[in-house]
Amino acid sequence: MAILNILNYPDPRLYTVAKPVKEVDATIRRLIVDMAETMYDAPGIGLAATQVDVHQQIIVIDTSQDKRDLKVFINPRIVTSCGTKDYEEGCLSVPGVYEMVTRAESITVEALGRDGKPFTIEAEGLLAVCIQHEMDHLLGKVFVEYLSPLKLARIKSKLKKRQRGR
C-alpha cells in the first residue's frame, strides 16, 4: 500500500480528461487500494484518479462515518438525474476551501466495480454530490470552476499565498 501525492489546484494536470479503463487487472486493483488509502489518510470522502496524476476513469468514495463502506466506480456514467440542490463542497485538491455548488439531487450511475463487473447505483444526498464531484475530476474540472470569476480569483490568490508561505 502507498500514500499517493494529491495534486493541488491550479496544477494543469488536474485539467486532463481521464481515459476509460480497458481492463480491470492487478495494476488497476492496486491503484484502487492506494487511492483508498490516500483518501482515508488525507482525510477525505472521495478521490478521483486524476487527482493523483493517473488519468484513467476511476473514483473511490466512502461517505460512511466508520470508513467501512468503500465504493469504487470505474468508467462511471450518470444515466439519470433528478432535481437540484445546493451543497457545500470541499476538495482534497483545493485544501481549506469550501463553497456552495448546485448539483443534481439524485442520480443513477452505471460503472464497473473493482471486480470488473458492471453495476448500477441510485444515489442521493451526500453520495450523489460526491459522485458528481469526483466525476467532474475525470472530465478535467475542479469544483471551484462553478464559482463566479471573482470568487475563483480570490481562491487562486489565497492558494498562491499559502504555497509561498511554505
Side-chain angles (χ1 to χ4, degrees):
M1 292 192 249
I3 302 295
L4 305 171
N5 182 49
I6 298 173
L7 302 176
N8 283 320
Y9 180 81
D11 190 306
R13 294 172 289 180
L14 288 169
Y15 299 109
T16 305
V17 175
K19 294 186 177 0
V21 172
K22 292 185 173 143
E23 179 186 358
V24 181
D25 58 15
T27 302
I28 295 297
R29 286 190 290 277
R30 172 90 228 142
L31 175 61
I32 290 165
V33 169
D34 291 346
M35 285 176 60
E37 186 174 325
T38 301
M39 175 187 70
Y40 290 131
D41 181 70
I45 60 171
L47 186 68
T50 301
Q51 292 175 271
V52 294
D53 202 21
V54 176
H55 304 287
Q56 295 191 63
Q57 294 180 10
I58 305 167
I59 59 178
V60 295
I61 294 174
D62 190 341
T63 58
S64 69
Q65 294 295 321
D66 61 4
K67 303 302 178 198
R68 293 183 183 207
D69 189 24
L70 181 67
K71 291 178 176 34
V72 176
F73 299 83
I74 300 170
N75 301 338
R77 68 183 194 96
I78 295 173
V79 292
T80 63
S81 63
C82 185
T84 59
K85 190 168 181 181
D86 292 342
Y87 294 92
E88 185 177 61
E89 294 186 27
C91 181
L92 295 176
S93 291
V94 193
V97 174
Y98 299 90
E99 293 289 341
M100 297 301 284
V101 177
T102 303
R103 300 270 188 195
E105 192 167 13
S106 64
I107 58 174
T108 302
V109 178
E110 294 178 345
L112 300 177
R114 68 182 106 191
D115 58 3
K117 293 188 168 100
F119 71 93
T120 302
I121 186 172
E122 292 182 12
E124 59 185 29
L126 181 59
L127 179 58
V129 169
C130 195
I131 292 169
Q132 292 170 84
H133 176 109
E134 301 307 334
M135 285 182 69
D136 275 353
H137 280 298
L138 301 180
L139 298 171
K141 188 168 186 173
V142 180
F143 89 101
V144 293
E145 295 170 33
Y146 285 100
L147 306 176
S148 71
L150 179 60
K151 274 191 175 182
L152 188 56
R154 285 183 184 156
I155 289 167
K156 282 183 181 178
S157 174
K158 176 181 174 181
L159 293 174
K160 284 180 186 173
K161 284 180 187 174
R162 190 181 299 158
Q163 286 175 347
R164 283 194 301 261
R166 285 183 187 170

